Amino acid sequence: MTDQASAPEQETPSTPDIPGKHTSASRTTLSHIMTHNDTNLLGTVHGGVIMKLVDDAAGAVAGRHSGGPAVTASMDEMAFLEPVRVGDLVHVKAQVNWTGRTSMEVGVRVLAERWNESAPPTQVGSAYLVFAAVDADGKPRPVPPVIPETEKDKRRYQEAQIRRTHRLARRRAIMELREKRAAEGFED
């Protein structure tokens, strides 16, 4: 579920012929106890371990929402808020925030708590990932529209639309700059 996909966001953001799915239909939590195998040179959990858990949970949500395979197209705004330690029980909570024709934005919150304590978990990270649904040949396939259920879901949907607009504008600006530099004779 973590293969690169090509430009899934060059699409129209609706699929009227497929019935929508509520946000809660694919929401999931993945939990994992951190061990010494997960540490970096500083003795805390390696950011890459957390990123893999984020991608795994987001991939499960994308596959569940789309009803089949989905591949990671991009990861936005991975934020590490607090270090994770050996012995922490990490919970990765993911849900579909927004859908286009063939792609989905999945929002992820990462929480950690000591495995042997009853204190509430602390948010230690967050990320947004874009997944493209693919068929057996790896070609993009339509996804059901997401139906936000709560006010929080509606806010996440609106924020996801803003992030999509920014991703597309950034991609467009970079392509224009590259074309301009190429026309001026610069090689990248």
Side-chain angles (χ1 to χ4, degrees), residues 6-158:
S6 59
E9 295 190 78
Q10 300 293 339
E11 59 185 49
T12 56
S14 65
T15 311
D17 53 330
I18 299 176
K21 284 187 176 180
H22 289 97
T23 307
S24 62
S26 58
R27 188 179 291 143
T28 194
T29 300
L30 177 121
S31 297
H32 188 77
I33 294 178
M34 298 293 110
T35 69
H36 288 287
N37 293 335
D38 302 316
T39 60
N40 58 27
L41 296 175
L42 298 175
T44 56
V45 172
H46 195 289
V49 171
I50 301 300
M51 290 174 74
K52 182 176 183 333
L53 293 173
V54 165
D55 191 45
D56 288 347
V61 166
R64 289 171 77 171
H65 182 83
S66 69
V71 295
T72 307
S74 69
M75 178 183 268
D76 283 359
E77 302 178 35
M78 181 69 213
F80 297 99
L81 307 173
E82 299 283 337
V84 177
R85 302 171 295 155
V86 170
D88 281 352
L89 177 58
V90 172
H91 308 285
V92 182
K93 297 178 176 282
Q95 74 171 49
V96 173
N97 290 335
W98 176 89
T99 53
R101 194 176 56 78
T102 63
S103 69
M104 303 154 273
E105 183 196 90
V106 178
V108 181
R109 288 182 51 221
V110 183
L111 305 163
E113 61 183 311
R114 296 307 292 168
W115 71 274
N116 59 348
E117 296 176 8
S118 60
T122 302
Q123 184 171 354
V124 296
S126 65
Y128 301 101
L129 296 87
V130 176
F131 279 80
V134 295
D135 63 18
D137 297 322
K139 304 291 184 205
R141 63 180 176 79
V143 299
V146 68
I147 302 169
E149 296 172 271
T150 66
E151 286 305 312
K152 195 179 280 189
D153 292 340
K154 291 173 186 173
R155 175 188 52 80
R156 288 176 177 156
Y157 184 90
Q158 292 170 332

Side-chain angles (χ1 to χ4, degrees), residues 161-172:
Q161 289 178 304
I162 293 168
R163 281 187 293 276
R164 179 178 186 272
T165 299
H166 286 221
R167 279 191 296 269
L168 293 174
R170 182 177 61 233
R171 180 181 298 149
R172 206 169 21 259

